Amino acid sequence: MSTLRNKVQLIGHVGNDPEIVNLESGKKLAKFSIATNESYKNSKGEKITDTQWHNIVAWGKTAELIESYVPKGKEVGIEGKLTSRSYEDKEGIKRYVTEVICNEILLMGK
């Protein structure tokens, strides 16, 4: 069990054009979401599709690749780790976010 670690692999479609941030240090940050779909049949035999949205964050060379080659709608494979953080919104309400920190991306489809 000591070899298990925080690792996530997802295949899905990009839900929005990635937001690219150029930091003062010269590093790039890419933020976007992907949708994953799972289909099953309910008790009536009807096909049901469950869509889950995942927030993705990428840094450095991975962010540069995303900026150049990943538009809205593109199918991608993501590998990374889960991270959680909190922040206060404009109204002072504490919000919690879970994100995938992407360390590898696979461009799929055409």
Side-chain angles (χ1 to χ4, degrees):
M1 286 284 223
S2 64
T3 60
L4 295 179
R5 62 178 200 260
N6 182 356
K7 182 176 179 180
V8 176
Q9 294 179 323
L10 299 169
I11 296 175
H13 289 89
V14 177
N16 56 332
D17 285 327
E19 175 187 345
I20 305 298
V21 179
N22 293 301
L23 302 174
E24 289 180 20
S25 65
K27 283 183 96 175
K28 281 192 191 257
L29 166 65
K31 296 192 280 186
F32 60 102
S33 61
I34 67 169
T36 56
N37 297 309
E38 181 180 3
S39 296
Y40 61 93
K41 290 189 178 182
N42 66 12
S43 59
K44 297 177 185 175
E46 301 166 327
K47 183 179 176 183
I48 304 295
T49 300
D50 179 38
T51 301
Q52 296 290 319
W53 288 93
H54 311 276
N55 295 318
I56 312 296
V57 175
W59 295 89
K61 294 287 185 187
T62 306
E64 291 174 16
L65 181 73
I66 290 165
E67 180 180 33
S68 298
Y69 299 106
V70 180
K72 176 181 178 177
K74 178 78 173 163
E75 186 177 25
V76 295
I78 299 288
E79 183 173 291
K81 66 179 183 175
L82 280 179
T83 185
S84 297
R85 63 182 174 87
S86 62
Y87 67 95
E88 281 192 17
D89 67 12
K90 295 174 186 171
E91 290 79 39
I93 298 171
K94 193 168 193 174
R95 303 284 182 180
Y96 297 90
V97 178
T98 299
E99 298 168 320
V100 176
I101 305 299
C102 173
N103 55 35
E104 195 170 326
I105 187 165
L106 175 64
L107 305 175
M108 303 177 79
K110 298 176 183 173

